[in-house]
Amino acid sequence: MDRSKDAVMKRLINAHFDIEPDIDLIVELVGADEHGRDESIKLLEVNRSTTTDGIRPIHFGADAAHDIPFPSIIVEVTPAEFARVKSEELALPEGWQLGRQFHRPAMAQGIKS
Amino acid sequence: MSWPLAYAKQARADLIARNRLLERADLPQCHQLHFLQMACEKLCKAHLCGSGVDAEVLRRSHAFVESVLPVIVREHLARQTGQALTNRGWVYRASKQYARQIERLAPAVTGGGSVPSNCEYPWTGPEGAVIVPAEHNFRFDFLHERGGRTLLKIIGAVADRLIHLHSPQAS
Protein backbone atom coordinates (compact mmCIF):
# COMPACT_ATOMS: atom_id res chain seq x y z
CA MET A 1 0.00 0.00 0.00
CA ASP A 2 1.21 3.46 -0.86
CA ARG A 3 1.95 5.22 2.41
CA SER A 4 3.07 8.51 0.93
CA LYS A 5 1.39 11.50 2.47
CA ASP A 6 -0.44 12.28 -0.76
CA ALA A 7 -1.83 8.76 -1.09
CA VAL A 8 -2.87 8.68 2.56
CA MET A 9 -4.57 12.02 2.17
CA LYS A 10 -6.59 10.73 -0.79
CA ARG A 11 -7.65 7.62 1.12
CA LEU A 12 -8.82 9.82 3.96
CA ILE A 13 -10.73 12.02 1.52
CA ASN A 14 -12.46 8.98 0.03
CA ALA A 15 -13.30 7.71 3.51
CA HIS A 16 -14.92 11.00 4.42
CA PHE A 17 -16.94 11.13 1.21
CA ASP A 18 -18.15 7.63 2.10
CA ILE A 19 -19.21 8.33 5.67
CA GLU A 20 -20.50 11.90 5.33
CA PRO A 21 -23.19 12.11 2.66
CA ASP A 22 -23.47 15.87 3.02
CA ILE A 23 -19.87 16.62 2.08
CA ASP A 24 -19.63 17.66 -1.56
CA LEU A 25 -16.15 19.13 -1.65
CA ILE A 26 -12.90 18.58 0.22
CA VAL A 27 -10.01 20.97 -0.25
CA GLU A 28 -6.41 20.28 0.59
CA LEU A 29 -4.98 22.90 2.95
CA VAL A 30 -1.35 23.70 2.31
CA GLY A 31 0.91 24.94 5.06
CA ALA A 32 4.12 26.90 4.88
CA ASP A 33 6.20 23.78 5.57
CA GLU A 34 4.04 21.19 3.87
CA HIS A 35 6.90 18.79 3.25
CA GLY A 36 8.10 18.87 6.82
CA ARG A 37 8.46 15.44 8.38
CA ASP A 38 5.86 16.04 11.07
CA GLU A 39 3.48 18.18 9.07
CA SER A 40 -0.12 17.05 9.38
CA ILE A 41 -2.47 16.25 6.54
CA LYS A 42 -4.84 19.21 6.46
CA LEU A 43 -8.25 19.16 4.86
CA LEU A 44 -11.07 21.67 4.56
CA GLU A 45 -14.36 19.81 4.25
CA VAL A 46 -17.45 21.60 2.94
CA ASN A 47 -20.31 19.90 4.76
CA ARG A 48 -23.91 20.97 4.33
CA SER A 49 -24.80 19.48 7.69
CA THR A 50 -22.12 21.00 9.84
CA THR A 51 -22.57 23.98 12.11
CA THR A 52 -21.63 27.57 11.33
CA ASP A 53 -18.82 28.11 13.78
CA GLY A 54 -16.04 29.60 11.73
CA ILE A 55 -12.61 28.11 11.17
CA ARG A 56 -12.00 25.53 13.90
CA PRO A 57 -9.16 23.13 13.11
CA ILE A 58 -9.88 19.72 14.61
CA HIS A 59 -6.78 17.66 15.34
CA PHE A 60 -6.41 13.90 14.96
CA GLY A 61 -3.48 11.68 15.71
CA ALA A 62 -1.89 9.13 13.42
CA ASP A 63 -4.15 6.09 13.08
CA ALA A 64 -2.35 2.83 12.45
CA ALA A 65 -5.59 0.85 12.39
CA HIS A 66 -6.67 2.78 9.29
CA ASP A 67 -3.19 2.99 7.75
CA ILE A 68 -2.87 6.70 8.44
CA PRO A 69 0.70 7.23 9.63
CA PHE A 70 0.34 11.02 9.75
CA PRO A 71 -1.56 13.27 12.12
CA SER A 72 -4.38 15.15 10.44
CA ILE A 73 -6.29 18.35 10.90
CA ILE A 74 -9.83 18.74 9.61
CA VAL A 75 -11.61 22.08 9.18
CA GLU A 76 -15.33 21.62 8.61
CA VAL A 77 -17.22 24.51 7.11
CA THR A 78 -20.64 25.12 5.65
CA PRO A 79 -20.95 26.03 1.95
CA ALA A 80 -21.59 29.64 2.93
CA GLU A 81 -18.47 29.70 5.07
CA PHE A 82 -16.45 28.20 2.21
CA ALA A 83 -17.58 31.04 -0.01
CA ARG A 84 -16.30 33.45 2.63
CA VAL A 85 -13.00 31.59 2.82
CA LYS A 86 -12.57 31.90 -0.95
CA SER A 87 -13.33 35.61 -0.82
CA GLU A 88 -10.95 35.91 2.13
CA GLU A 89 -13.65 37.29 4.40
CA LEU A 90 -13.01 34.29 6.62
CA ALA A 91 -9.33 33.73 7.30
CA LEU A 92 -7.58 30.41 7.43
CA PRO A 93 -4.91 29.91 10.10
CA GLU A 94 -1.75 31.83 9.35
CA GLY A 95 0.36 30.25 6.66
CA TRP A 96 -2.39 27.97 5.34
CA GLN A 97 -3.70 28.25 1.81
CA LEU A 98 -6.34 26.48 -0.23
CA GLY A 99 -4.84 23.76 -2.39
CA ARG A 100 -6.27 21.07 -4.64
CA GLN A 101 -10.01 20.58 -4.66
CA PHE A 102 -11.60 17.15 -4.57
CA HIS A 103 -15.26 16.97 -5.54
CA ARG A 104 -17.53 14.14 -4.49
CA PRO A 105 -17.14 11.42 -7.10
CA ALA A 106 -20.22 10.86 -9.27
CA MET A 107 -19.99 7.13 -8.78
CA ALA A 108 -18.88 5.22 -5.70
CA GLN A 109 -15.40 4.80 -7.02
CA GLY A 110 -13.57 7.40 -5.06
CA ILE A 111 -11.03 9.93 -6.14
CA LYS A 112 -8.04 8.54 -7.96
CA SER A 113 -4.84 7.95 -6.07
CA MET B 1 -14.21 34.99 38.27
CA SER B 2 -17.46 33.02 38.14
CA TRP B 3 -17.58 29.22 38.22
CA PRO B 4 -19.16 28.91 34.75
CA LEU B 5 -16.37 31.03 33.29
CA ALA B 6 -13.70 29.13 35.17
CA TYR B 7 -15.00 25.74 34.04
CA ALA B 8 -15.34 26.93 30.45
CA LYS B 9 -11.82 28.33 30.40
CA GLN B 10 -10.37 25.14 31.80
CA ALA B 11 -12.36 23.09 29.29
CA ARG B 12 -10.81 25.12 26.50
CA ALA B 13 -7.34 24.71 28.00
CA ASP B 14 -7.89 20.94 28.13
CA LEU B 15 -8.88 20.92 24.45
CA ILE B 16 -5.78 22.88 23.49
CA ALA B 17 -3.61 20.48 25.47
CA ARG B 18 -5.32 17.57 23.71
CA ASN B 19 -4.41 19.05 20.35
CA ARG B 20 -0.77 19.23 21.40
CA LEU B 21 -0.84 15.58 22.41
CA LEU B 22 -2.35 14.59 19.07
CA GLU B 23 0.62 16.10 17.26
CA ARG B 24 2.75 13.32 18.75
CA ALA B 25 2.22 10.12 16.79
CA ASP B 26 3.99 8.05 19.43
CA LEU B 27 1.67 8.84 22.34
CA PRO B 28 -1.01 6.34 23.39
CA GLN B 29 -4.58 7.39 22.76
CA CYS B 30 -5.47 7.26 26.47
CA HIS B 31 -3.82 10.64 27.09
CA GLN B 32 -5.64 12.63 24.44
CA LEU B 33 -8.87 10.87 25.38
CA HIS B 34 -8.26 11.78 29.02
CA PHE B 35 -8.07 15.44 28.08
CA LEU B 36 -11.18 15.10 25.94
CA GLN B 37 -13.08 13.52 28.85
CA MET B 38 -11.89 16.24 31.22
CA ALA B 39 -12.79 18.98 28.75
CA CYS B 40 -16.27 17.59 28.21
CA GLU B 41 -16.86 17.18 31.94
CA LYS B 42 -15.85 20.77 32.59
CA LEU B 43 -17.92 22.01 29.68
CA CYS B 44 -20.94 20.26 31.16
CA LYS B 45 -20.20 21.76 34.56
CA ALA B 46 -19.89 25.21 33.02
CA HIS B 47 -23.27 24.71 31.42
CA LEU B 48 -24.86 23.47 34.66
CA CYS B 49 -23.31 26.23 36.79
CA GLY B 50 -24.56 28.76 34.31
CA SER B 51 -28.01 27.27 34.72
CA GLY B 52 -27.90 27.73 38.49
CA VAL B 53 -26.60 24.43 39.81
CA ASP B 54 -24.44 24.79 42.92
CA ALA B 55 -20.79 24.69 41.92
CA GLU B 56 -19.83 22.90 45.13
CA VAL B 57 -22.21 20.06 44.33
CA LEU B 58 -20.74 19.77 40.83
CA ARG B 59 -17.16 19.82 42.05
CA ARG B 60 -17.56 16.47 43.79
CA SER B 61 -19.30 14.68 40.95
CA HIS B 62 -18.17 13.31 37.60
CA ALA B 63 -21.08 11.62 35.86
CA PHE B 64 -22.47 14.44 33.75
CA VAL B 65 -21.24 14.03 30.24
CA GLU B 66 -23.66 11.35 29.09
CA SER B 67 -26.72 13.34 30.12
CA VAL B 68 -25.57 16.91 29.64
CA LEU B 69 -23.34 16.91 26.55
CA PRO B 70 -26.21 16.00 24.19
CA VAL B 71 -28.25 18.82 25.70
CA ILE B 72 -25.39 21.21 25.00
CA VAL B 73 -25.18 19.94 21.43
CA ARG B 74 -28.93 20.23 20.93
CA GLU B 75 -28.93 23.79 22.20
CA HIS B 76 -26.00 24.67 19.95
CA LEU B 77 -27.80 23.24 16.94
CA ALA B 78 -30.96 25.11 17.84
CA ARG B 79 -29.01 28.36 18.02
CA GLN B 80 -27.67 27.68 14.57
CA THR B 81 -30.95 27.09 12.83
CA GLY B 82 -33.21 29.18 15.02
CA GLN B 83 -35.51 26.24 15.45
CA ALA B 84 -35.54 22.72 16.78
CA LEU B 85 -33.36 20.08 15.15
CA THR B 86 -33.82 20.00 11.41
CA ASN B 87 -31.89 17.66 9.21
CA ARG B 88 -29.10 17.77 11.78
CA GLY B 89 -30.91 15.38 14.05
CA TRP B 90 -28.28 12.79 13.29
CA VAL B 91 -25.64 15.08 14.90
CA TYR B 92 -27.64 15.06 18.11
CA ARG B 93 -28.10 11.29 17.98
CA ALA B 94 -24.39 10.77 17.34
CA SER B 95 -23.58 13.07 20.25
CA LYS B 96 -25.57 10.82 22.59
CA GLN B 97 -23.52 7.80 21.61
CA TYR B 98 -20.23 9.66 21.92
CA ALA B 99 -21.26 11.25 25.21
CA ARG B 100 -21.86 7.83 26.73
CA GLN B 101 -18.44 6.64 25.61
CA ILE B 102 -16.70 9.81 26.78
CA GLU B 103 -18.26 9.69 30.23
CA ARG B 104 -17.01 6.13 30.69
CA LEU B 105 -13.43 7.26 30.10
CA ALA B 106 -13.46 8.76 33.59
CA PRO B 107 -12.07 6.42 36.25
CA ALA B 108 -14.87 7.35 38.63
CA VAL B 109 -17.52 6.19 36.17
CA THR B 110 -17.76 2.45 35.76
CA GLY B 111 -21.24 1.92 34.38
CA GLY B 112 -22.23 0.15 37.55
CA GLY B 113 -19.13 -1.98 37.36
CA SER B 114 -19.80 -3.18 33.85
CA VAL B 115 -17.31 -0.82 32.24
CA PRO B 116 -14.06 -0.79 34.23
CA SER B 117 -12.00 0.61 31.38
CA ASN B 118 -10.87 4.20 31.81
CA CYS B 119 -8.14 6.38 30.39
CA GLU B 120 -6.25 6.99 33.63
CA TYR B 121 -5.72 3.91 35.83
CA PRO B 122 -5.12 0.23 35.15
CA TRP B 123 -8.07 -2.04 35.77
CA THR B 124 -8.90 -5.70 36.02
CA GLY B 125 -10.20 -7.04 32.75
CA PRO B 126 -11.84 -10.31 31.80
CA GLU B 127 -10.34 -13.37 33.38
CA GLY B 128 -8.49 -11.27 35.91
CA ALA B 129 -5.90 -9.73 33.60
CA VAL B 130 -4.61 -6.31 34.57
CA ILE B 131 -5.09 -3.87 31.70
CA VAL B 132 -3.05 -0.72 31.15
CA PRO B 133 -4.80 2.30 29.60
CA ALA B 134 -1.67 3.15 27.60
CA GLU B 135 -1.93 -0.24 25.87
CA HIS B 136 -5.70 -0.34 25.45
CA ASN B 137 -7.68 0.40 22.31
CA PHE B 138 -10.61 2.50 23.42
CA ARG B 139 -12.14 2.24 19.96
CA PHE B 140 -12.86 5.92 19.56
CA ASP B 141 -12.86 6.94 15.93
CA PHE B 142 -13.92 10.53 15.53
CA LEU B 143 -11.95 10.67 12.27
CA HIS B 144 -13.77 7.80 10.55
CA GLU B 145 -17.24 7.87 12.06
CA ARG B 146 -20.04 10.09 10.91
CA GLY B 147 -20.41 13.20 13.04
CA GLY B 148 -17.15 12.79 14.91
CA ARG B 149 -15.53 15.89 13.55
CA THR B 150 -18.72 17.91 13.87
CA LEU B 151 -19.08 16.98 17.52
CA LEU B 152 -15.50 17.95 18.32
CA LYS B 153 -16.04 21.26 16.56
CA ILE B 154 -19.21 21.91 18.56
CA ILE B 155 -17.42 21.17 21.83
CA GLY B 156 -14.79 23.79 21.05
CA ALA B 157 -17.36 26.30 19.83
CA VAL B 158 -19.46 25.93 22.96
CA ALA B 159 -16.44 26.39 25.21
CA ASP B 160 -15.64 29.65 23.44
CA ARG B 161 -19.25 30.78 23.55
CA LEU B 162 -19.54 30.12 27.29
CA ILE B 163 -16.30 31.99 27.91
CA HIS B 164 -17.66 34.94 25.99
CA LEU B 165 -21.06 34.68 27.69
CA HIS B 166 -19.66 34.65 31.21
CA SER B 167 -16.79 37.09 30.72
CA PRO B 168 -17.25 40.33 32.65
CA GLN B 169 -16.99 42.48 29.55
CA ALA B 170 -19.85 40.55 27.95
CA SER B 171 -22.32 41.65 30.63
Side-chain angles (χ1 to χ4, degrees):
Chain A
M1 178 177 286
D2 187 346
R3 289 190 169 82
S4 66
K5 193 172 169 184
D6 195 69
V8 172
M9 179 191 72
K10 288 173 179 173
R11 283 201 295 276
L12 186 56
I13 288 171
N14 280 329
H16 284 184
F17 277 136
D18 279 344
I19 62 174
E20 299 282 1
D22 295 328
I23 291 179
D24 295 319
L25 174 68
I26 297 177
V27 184
E28 178 187 22
L29 291 171
V30 181
D33 185 22
E34 197 54 44
H35 300 294
R37 188 173 64 91
D38 299 324
E39 188 66 17
S40 299
I41 292 170
K42 297 180 291 295
L43 299 173
L44 181 113
E45 301 187 345
V46 185
N47 187 338
R48 286 177 275 122
S49 288
T50 193
T51 52
T52 301
D53 286 311
I55 302 299
R56 293 189 172 273
I58 306 297
H59 293 239
F60 296 90
D63 183 356
H66 289 92
D67 256 319
I68 300 180
F70 306 95
S72 57
I73 301 175
I74 307 296
V75 178
E76 248 194 9
V77 296
T78 64
E81 287 177 316
F82 181 55
R84 294 179 61 211
V85 169
K86 285 194 295 184
S87 67
E88 297 183 354
E89 287 180 62
L90 199 54
L92 292 170
E94 189 171 338
W96 294 13
Q97 293 181 316
L98 296 176
R100 291 171 288 173
Q101 295 191 356
F102 299 90
H103 293 267
R104 172 177 289 280
M107 301 288 288
Q109 60 194 9
I111 59 169
K112 290 181 171 48
S113 297
Chain B
M1 182 180 299
S2 69
W3 280 104
L5 178 59
Y7 274 127
K9 282 190 167 185
Q10 190 61 32
R12 184 168 67 180
D14 287 345
L15 291 171
I16 291 171
R18 176 176 182 263
N19 285 342
R20 294 293 173 268
L21 290 171
L22 285 165
E23 291 170 4
R24 294 290 306 272
D26 57 337
L27 289 181
Q29 62 174 209
C30 64
H31 300 298
Q32 58 94 355
L33 289 176
H34 192 181
F35 275 89
L36 176 64
Q37 179 272 316
M38 291 192 295
C40 288
E41 184 176 311
K42 294 181 187 77
L43 194 67
C44 293
K45 290 183 176 181
H47 173 82
L48 290 170
C49 280
S51 302
V53 178
D54 188 326
E56 188 56 33
V57 170
L58 293 175
R59 195 176 64 80
R60 296 191 295 266
S61 302
H62 300 282
F64 295 111
V65 176
E66 181 173 359
S67 58
V68 180
L69 188 62
V71 173
I72 290 172
V73 169
R74 186 177 61 200
E75 288 186 5
H76 189 73
L77 293 172
R79 286 171 187 276
Q80 298 273 309
T81 61
Q83 54 185 309
L85 296 172
T86 56
N87 62 344
R88 294 180 180 140
W90 64 270
V91 177
Y92 171 67
R93 289 189 293 275
S95 75
K96 292 174 72 174
Q97 175 64 33
Y98 281 124
R100 184 179 309 118
Q101 291 178 267
I102 292 169
E103 178 169 294
R104 290 179 176 182
L105 290 172
V109 179
T110 62
S114 63
V115 186
S117 59
N118 71 92
C119 51
E120 190 174 351
Y121 295 106
W123 68 89
T124 304
E127 300 167 8
V130 177
I131 299 174
V132 179
E135 298 171 357
H136 183 68
N137 182 355
F138 289 90
R139 304 192 186 283
F140 272 79
D141 197 357
F142 293 105
L143 185 58
H144 289 91
E145 291 176 355
R146 191 180 186 203
R149 283 135 284 120
T150 305
L151 176 64
L152 291 174
K153 186 171 84 164
I154 290 173
I155 289 169
V158 172
D160 286 344
R161 184 176 64 78
L162 291 177
I163 290 169
H164 178 75
L165 176 67
H166 295 292
S167 291
Q169 56 267 30
S171 54

